[in-house]
Amino acid sequence: MAYPLRTIQEDGQAVVILDQTRLPRETAFVRLTNLEEAAHAIRVMQVRGAPLIGATAAYGVALGLLAGADDGRLAVVLDTLGETRPTAVNLHWALARMKSVLAPLPATDRCAAAWREARAIAREDEAANAAIGRNGLPLIAAAARKKGLPPAPLPKEGGDQVRQAAPVQAEHAGTVNIMTHCNAGWLATVAHGTAISPIYAAHAAGIPVHVWVSETRPRNQGLLTAWELEQAGIPYTLIADNAAGLLMMQDKVDCVIVGADRIAANGDTANKVGTYLKALACKAHGVPFYVAAPVSTIDFACPAGTGIPIEERSAAELGVSHMRVANPAFDVTPAGLIAGIITEHDLRPADQLAGLKP
Ligand code: MRU
């Protein structure tokens, strides 16, 4: 299988997803045919990543309305999907958008309209993430120039855009070293990814990049990122989460780019737990820390990070059953630690989000 792949496909009767609970060991697809299956896929993280959760929820509404589309059913469908995961605002954004389109329609028109709107959401996510790649590319190009890296030759006209993996160098001097956390690649979106989209763009433009991939305990989404980069032939090194500070101290990290699950109006950003520690380490070592996300991840109704609900997941994820466990799945990085937010519109300071529209 080669990048780029769309994570979600449909035929107007069913939705097919890549089961992320089985990656990277196994590539398996799951066919979703009804509301319960769509809600289950989001809850157990067969699909995950804020933008993909949003698109799956939108298709979940379409699937749910196959069984009836009166006001009562619409409410049940929206409530069921809305309760699956609390932090990624794309879920709630997508459901609110579906509701605003569907509720005014007669019940007989709702099902077809739901498929149309879900398709529009998926298409827009794909386009937004491609634009995030273009808008994040200049910061990687600038890091390359700062290191005096000669621009690599561009791929031949009409040639394969995906380069073969270069051997990872022991010293990371001849490449732009980007650290990321969790998985914010194409797997976490409809296509292209958010934080990884500029990295794909830089690689395609011939800029030598190497990615420090943080393992991301407890669910190890970093393995998904490593798997993606392997498919794309982009050099990467998987690290334990706690190795990040040392690598920055050793000057082996040029920048950090992460995705987001919910960005408050003031720029405070919720992302996978462990993100905040990376931002703190960046501050200590003068490493720029960027967030990449579509505008659908900005919650303008939430003034600051303290208002972002943090999902608490099961003790089983930490591999224990008879001990007291706290398992917050996300943390919040204050806007003051963020060098810039990359959206489909541009790269801008985290505290200047007002006026952005999806
Ligand atoms: O719990 P997950 O795996 O859904 O969390 C995903 C993340 O935290 C991602 O970094 C975030 O959603 C950005 S995805 C483009």
Side-chain angles (χ1 to χ4, degrees):
M1 187 191 329
Y3 166 83
L5 182 85
R6 225 168 179 262
T7 46
I8 193 159
Q9 322 271 349
E10 50 84 14
D11 61 8
Q13 288 297 314
V15 171
V16 176
I17 54 158
L18 192 50
D19 184 350
Q20 301 198 26
T21 61
R22 291 158 78 173
L23 282 171
R25 298 180 307 284
E26 193 187 352
T27 306
F29 295 88
V30 175
R31 193 174 156 83
L32 310 175
T33 58
N34 57 43
L35 169 66
E36 288 69 32
E37 288 171 359
H40 174 80
I42 298 171
R43 204 178 298 116
V44 304
M45 297 172 65
Q46 286 175 320
V47 288
R48 44 147 298 283
L52 181 58
I53 291 171
T56 308
Y59 279 120
V61 173
L63 289 172
L65 297 188
L66 288 171
D70 63 19
D71 287 356
R73 176 66 182 169
L74 180 61
V76 167
V77 166
L78 294 170
D79 287 352
T80 303
L81 290 161
E83 283 162 10
T84 50
R85 294 195 73 187
T87 304
V89 77
N90 302 60
L91 171 78
H92 308 284
W93 168 86
L95 293 176
R97 178 166 157 178
M98 295 299 282
K99 183 178 179 182
S100 73
V101 168
L102 300 174
L105 299 178
T108 45
D109 294 349
R110 283 180 181 160
C111 194
W115 285 101
R116 273 198 306 277
E117 196 63 16
R119 282 177 197 130
I121 286 174
R123 240 188 351 259
E124 289 167 27
D125 185 60
E126 186 170 359
N129 299 329
I132 286 171
R134 291 191 293 276
N135 294 337
L137 173 60
L139 76 87
I140 300 177
R145 280 195 301 276
K146 193 170 159 198
K147 292 181 93 167
L149 296 180
L154 285 169
K156 281 201 207 85
E157 192 75 24
D160 187 357
Q161 293 288 303
V162 176
R163 286 158 183 272
Q164 290 310 301
V168 174
Q169 296 146 311
E171 285 305 318
H172 299 278
T175 180
V176 180
N177 295 289
I178 303 160
M179 184 176 283
T180 193
H181 188 63
C182 194
N183 170 263
W186 62 266
L187 283 170
T189 64
V190 173
H192 305 297
T194 56
I196 308 298
S197 188
I199 297 174
Y200 286 131
H203 181 67
I207 298 172
V209 286
H210 161 260
V211 187
W212 294 110
V213 178
S214 189
E215 188 182 27
T216 315
R217 285 279 294 148
R219 288 189 68 105
N220 294 327
Q221 286 96 329
L223 300 190
L224 301 175
T225 302
W227 179 83
E228 271 194 37
L229 295 172
E230 184 87 43
Q231 307 287 313
I234 297 178
Y236 68 90
T237 307
L238 187 68
I239 55 164
D241 297 334
N242 292 338
L246 176 74
L247 293 169
M248 289 184 203
M249 181 185 274
Q250 293 174 332
D251 207 16
K252 290 179 177 169
V253 184
D254 296 307
C255 67
V256 172
I257 312 180
V258 298
D261 289 85
R262 189 184 298 228
I263 303 173
N266 71 347
D268 294 350
T269 294
N271 191 49
K272 182 55 54 190
V273 69
T275 301
Y276 173 45
L277 282 175
K278 287 195 169 49
L280 286 172
C282 281
K283 170 92 177 158
H285 296 291
V287 174
F289 176 94
Y290 297 98
V291 170
V295 175
S296 53
T297 303
I298 304 174
D299 183 357
F300 288 105
C302 179
T306 45
I308 298 177
I310 301 294
E311 179 177 11
E312 183 70 30
R313 293 192 63 93
S314 77
E317 288 189 347
L318 273 74
V320 296
S321 53
H322 301 296
M323 293 174 179
R324 278 173 65 92
V325 164
N327 185 14
F330 301 94
D331 60 25
V332 178
T333 299
L337 295 179
I338 299 171
I341 295 190
I342 310 160
T343 69
E344 62 269 44
H345 297 292
D346 52 24
L347 164 61
R348 63 173 64 199
D351 60 0
Q352 289 175 31
L353 302 177
L356 284 177
K357 293 214 167 36

